[in-house]
Amino acid sequence: MVGEGDFEDRLRGHFESEARTCEHCLKASPPKTSDLLVEKYLCTTPPIFAFVVAWVEDCASKEHLSDIADGLAPQIRLNKVYRAVGAGQKQKPTPYQIVGMICFYGRHYTSFFYNQQLQKWVFIDDSSVRPVGDWSDVKQNMIDGRHMPLVLFYSQKSPVR
């Protein structure tokens, strides 16, 4: 199973892997084509943020979804993902809890969101809303139903288990 720190490290590695070619370098004589790494900074700490997951295919195997589910962290710290969090603020590990996700399955969208009133996760599709249980139940439902996560929502508040 992949731990929370691994998820944060993978996100940071993804954000730090972007490279661009400098336009001025291309116009130089002779042209220089070396890529410049793009650094991403988070200037303020948002109360809620989302990650979008890109899929190559529109159907995933249960094995692939199991690997994805194992890699999803229910809690992350933005200061471990971005270089700086909060302009002029001390970097402190502010935990964010996952509170929802929009998924894709069979040419339509479904979602899982944490309901604070029920203190459980719920599954929402075109025709119903039903309780699911805790985070481990959400992951199992995602795998069994082959729901591919597209957008993950995290919040500074709302303890989710």
Side-chain angles (χ1 to χ4, degrees):
M1 182 175 206
V2 179
E4 291 178 18
D6 293 334
F7 184 66
E8 294 163 341
D9 293 341
R10 285 195 321 260
L11 286 172
R12 186 173 188 141
H14 174 74
F15 290 146
E16 291 182 346
S17 67
E18 184 180 349
R20 296 186 184 161
T21 302
C22 172
E23 289 182 31
H24 300 290
C25 298
L26 290 174
K27 295 176 184 175
S29 180
K32 298 175 185 173
T33 58
S34 61
D35 288 335
L36 302 171
L37 288 178
V38 175
E39 294 181 352
K40 296 185 180 184
Y41 293 85
L42 190 60
C43 297
T44 60
T45 53
I48 297 174
F49 71 93
F51 288 114
V52 176
V53 179
W55 289 85
V56 178
E57 68 278 343
D58 50 347
C59 184
S61 69
K62 287 186 177 186
E63 293 78 22
H64 190 184
L65 284 168
S66 180
D67 290 343
I68 296 293
D70 284 344
L72 291 178
Q75 183 180 71
I76 64 174
R77 295 155 297 187
L78 285 183
N79 66 319
K80 299 291 184 184
V81 176
Y82 291 97
R83 287 189 172 272
V85 177
Q89 300 173 7
K90 283 187 174 182
Q91 286 191 6
K92 56 183 176 181
T94 303
Y96 282 77
Q97 300 286 335
I98 191 163
V99 294
M101 66 178 157
I102 297 173
C103 300
F104 180 77
Y105 171 75
R107 302 184 66 152
H108 77 275
Y109 297 92
T110 60
S111 61
F112 294 91
F113 277 88
Y114 187 75
N115 182 308
Q116 290 185 355
Q117 188 175 20
L118 295 175
Q119 296 289 299
K120 333 180 146 179
W121 284 83
V122 295
F123 173 76
I124 305 162
D125 68 6
D126 295 335
S127 60
S128 66
V129 176
R130 65 174 170 79
V132 172
D134 63 13
W135 177 242
S136 63
D137 297 323
V138 170
K139 293 193 306 183
Q140 193 59 53
N141 272 266
M142 184 184 78
I143 296 164
D144 292 343
R146 296 179 65 185
H147 301 278
M148 299 165 53
L150 296 177
V151 185
L152 306 173
F153 295 92
Y154 286 83
S155 175
Q156 279 186 343
K157 300 181 188 211
S158 306
V160 175
R161 298 287 168 228

